[in-house]
Amino acid sequence: MASLIAILDLKGKSLIQRSYKDDIPPSAVEKFMPIVLEMEEDLQTVTPCFSKDGINYMHIKYSNLYILALSKSNSNAAEIILFLHKLASVFTEYFKELEEESIRDNFVIIYELFDEMMDYGHPQTTESKILQEYITQESHKLEVQARPPMAVTNAVSWRSEGIRYRKNEVFLDVVESVNMLVNASGNIIRSEILGAVKMKCFLSGMPELRLGLNDKVMFETTGRTNRGKSIEMEDVKFHQCVRLSRFENDRTISFIPPDGEFELMSYRLSTSVKPLVWAEASIECHSGSRVEYTVKVKANFKKRSSANNVEILIPVPDDADTPKFRSATGSVSYAPDQSCFIWKIKQLAGGKEFLLRAEFGLPSVKGDDVQSKRPILVKFEIPYFTVSGIQVRYLKIVEKSGYQALPWVRYLTNDGDYALRTNIDRTNNASSLTN
């Protein structure tokens, strides 16, 4: 329970604030920044929650603003911090960008949102799509809206009643990002998969959806056998529409979806995977006057798949100039502002391997050691493919009117934090690309 919410600039000056209870004076907001500065000086860090003189301070930093909640009671700090993030999300939906100027330009609408999103210190409606149905940018429209939509008083606060579509469709995207770090010896130091199930729902009425995945825990708890591969997801997080009690009991993902686009769930897998796109570079030095690179890229996945929009960023010395490139595929460009050259391959089929040669001049002599400590960075996306092997087994749609809906499922794997610190071999007898 929060007694006061305030938005401050980076100097700690209150731009706007709303008191929900009278147990904390508004002047307490002015003490926030001195406390923060003191913590930075003494502890070299600032925690999002701290107490001073019997007042609990909970805050988040968003862009050039502090969003602050004050409380005197023994509050649920995690709930209030989550509410502050939702507050920032709603403001961003309304004003496109949440910063000092947008706060000053929208005092009226912000006070209305403060009043609707929290009542006597308790969070209420936090779904921006529902709020936008009866709190609009033009204040005169508030008089036309006689009462709030049913979603505000209904148990399903994220969806309004009376939604109708001529064609009922559901689009489900399973997107996985691969985080990977490989050391100079070719050993994998870090490997994890971050996944998300994203949906776009264009369904009439109040449909009930049930999603089935090849979940290892579900197969084990229900005693079922799975003919194919099953996966064990970690750190699973759901949208509020999912019935958590049902999932905890039998691992069924059951929900009434919001209208439009939303993220249904996210997960993580710490399973070790080999690099999907491998890149390595060898350097040939010429007495500090010029340097040559031979770069090899290989697709370490099956031939039926292909990686699209592949970009390989190879670091070079800061003073390198006069680039020359030779490659059998793709395009190469020099990015001096990033101290690297970028090899772009529009489509890289599974199992394929390609070479690139590059030459740079070195106008300032710094010795023969041109090895960069920065890793090779790789960007890519592989459609119709998931590295974890997750599969949508079924997506059932049930609505009382009995209409038929079309579900569409897509899979995509892309790079996350993907860095390769590969070996650099150096020789001094290479020929120039111009020879």
Side-chain angles (χ1 to χ4, degrees):
M1 181 185 295
S3 299
L4 185 148
I5 301 290
I7 301 179
L8 293 70
D9 62 17
L10 291 179
K11 295 181 180 179
K13 181 182 178 182
S14 177
L15 302 175
I16 189 170
Q17 59 190 60
R18 173 70 166 87
S19 293
Y20 297 96
K21 299 177 68 179
D22 297 329
D23 57 345
I24 294 180
S27 59
V29 175
E30 300 173 2
K31 300 179 181 179
F32 169 72
M33 187 52 67
I35 299 173
V36 168
L37 295 175
E38 184 180 344
M39 291 178 68
E40 286 181 341
E41 185 176 348
D42 295 344
L43 305 176
Q44 305 298 317
T45 185
V46 179
T47 59
C49 308
F50 55 85
S51 299
K52 187 76 171 182
D53 299 329
I55 298 177
N56 303 317
Y57 292 80
M58 293 149 283
H59 76 282
I60 64 171
K61 189 176 181 182
Y62 188 96
S63 185
N64 60 343
L65 301 170
Y66 287 104
I67 306 178
L68 173 67
L70 302 183
S71 169
K72 246 189 175 178
S73 60
N74 187 16
S75 306
N76 185 333
E79 179 187 41
I80 294 178
I81 291 291
L82 179 60
F83 174 80
L84 296 181
H85 281 287
K86 290 295 291 185
L87 197 66
S89 176
V90 169
F91 287 169
T92 304
E93 287 283 334
Y94 267 86
F95 315 134
K96 305 305 178 186
E97 292 184 6
L98 179 56
E99 49 189 37
E100 188 173 333
E101 185 178 353
S102 61
I103 296 296
R104 296 186 187 278
D105 291 343
N106 294 280
F107 279 145
V108 173
I109 198 78
I110 290 173
Y111 276 120
E112 291 171 357
L113 290 170
F114 274 154
D115 288 340
E116 293 298 334
M117 295 181 67
M118 182 167 277
D119 183 23
Y120 199 63
H122 296 279
Q124 300 295 313
T125 306
T126 58
E127 284 294 318
S128 61
K129 290 181 181 179
I130 301 302
L131 289 163
Q132 287 174 5
E133 291 187 24
Y134 65 104
I135 297 181
T136 64
Q137 293 282 11
E138 296 77 21
S139 59
H140 67 271
K141 289 186 179 180
L142 296 174
E143 299 174 5
V144 179
Q145 182 79 39
R147 60 177 182 173
M150 284 296 293
V152 176
T153 54
N154 195 7
V156 185
S157 62
W158 53 87
R159 185 181 180 91
S160 298
E161 292 187 356
I163 297 173
R164 291 289 178 267
Y165 286 101
R166 179 174 293 181
K167 185 179 182 181
N168 293 285
E169 293 181 303
V170 177
F171 298 89
L172 189 149
D173 291 339
V174 181
V175 182
E176 292 188 340
S177 298
V178 180
N179 291 341
M180 179 163 293
L181 178 61
V182 178
N183 68 8
S185 302
N187 299 320
I188 297 174
I189 303 300
R190 181 170 66 94
S191 169
E192 67 175 357
I193 304 166
L194 301 180
V197 177
K198 302 179 180 181
M199 299 190 72
K200 288 183 181 178
C201 289
F202 305 105
L203 299 173
S204 304
M206 299 290 282
E208 171 90 15
L209 274 63
R210 295 187 183 92
L211 175 65
L213 305 172
N214 55 335
D215 179 10
K216 182 179 179 181
V217 177
M218 185 274 290
F219 288 127
E220 292 176 349
T221 54
T222 58
R224 301 179 191 178
T225 57
N226 183 35
R227 295 179 182 178
K229 182 180 179 181
S230 61
I231 65 167
E232 188 171 358
M233 297 177 289
E234 305 171 34
D235 296 340
V236 180
K237 297 182 179 66
F238 288 110
H239 188 276
Q240 61 175 320
C241 66
V242 176
R243 294 185 173 91
L244 294 180
S245 58
R246 183 85 182 270
F247 180 77
E248 290 170 357
N249 288 336
D250 57 11
R251 306 288 286 192
T252 298
I253 303 174
S254 175
F255 58 99
I256 297 174
D259 185 45
E261 187 174 354
F262 69 101
E263 183 173 290
L264 176 68
M265 62 179 289
S266 63
Y267 59 91
R268 180 179 66 87
L269 284 87
S270 55
T271 308
S272 179
V273 295
K274 66 179 182 180
L276 294 172
V277 178
W278 176 259
E280 60 184 28
S282 62
I283 285 185
E284 298 170 340
C285 304
H286 297 269
S287 303
S289 62
R290 60 186 174 87
V291 59
E292 291 187 13
Y293 291 80
T294 301
V295 183
K296 181 173 74 172
V297 60
K298 184 177 181 181
N300 290 327
F301 45 85
K302 295 181 179 179
K303 293 182 179 179
R304 65 171 179 262
S305 298
S306 62
N308 298 336
N309 304 317
V310 178
E311 292 188 14
I312 305 160
L313 287 74
I314 302 96
V316 297
D318 294 339
D319 59 344
D321 64 4
T322 59
K324 298 175 185 176
F325 303 113
R326 190 168 68 197
S327 171
T329 187
S331 61
V332 192
S333 61
Y334 178 36
D337 56 325
Q338 303 178 56
S339 296
C340 72
F341 62 95
I342 304 173
W343 186 10
K344 294 183 179 180
I345 302 174
K346 192 170 184 180
Q347 193 170 61
L348 179 63
K352 290 291 185 178
E353 181 178 315
F354 295 101
L355 290 176
L356 159 73
R357 292 192 69 189
E359 179 182 305
F360 291 86
L362 296 176
S364 59
V365 179
K366 294 184 178 179
D368 289 339
D369 188 9
V370 296
Q371 179 175 347
S372 173
K373 295 182 179 179
R374 294 180 293 130
I376 295 174
L377 304 180
V378 182
K379 301 179 181 179
F380 60 88
E381 55 183 33
I382 309 175
Y384 319 112
F385 175 86
T386 57
V387 65
S388 70
I390 189 173
Q391 292 179 347
V392 176
R393 296 172 52 243
Y394 61 82
L395 179 62
K396 297 179 180 178
I397 305 167
V398 180
E399 213 276 334
K400 61 182 180 181
S401 64
Y403 61 72
Q404 296 295 315
L406 300 172
W408 303 88
V409 180
R410 298 184 299 183
Y411 299 93
L412 177 70
T413 295
N414 56 28
D415 62 281
D417 184 6
Y418 197 100
L420 307 174
R421 298 183 182 275
T422 56
N423 267 331
I424 296 178
D425 301 321
R426 297 212 307 273
T427 60
N428 291 291
N429 55 358
S431 60
S432 170
L433 291 182
T434 58
N435 291 342

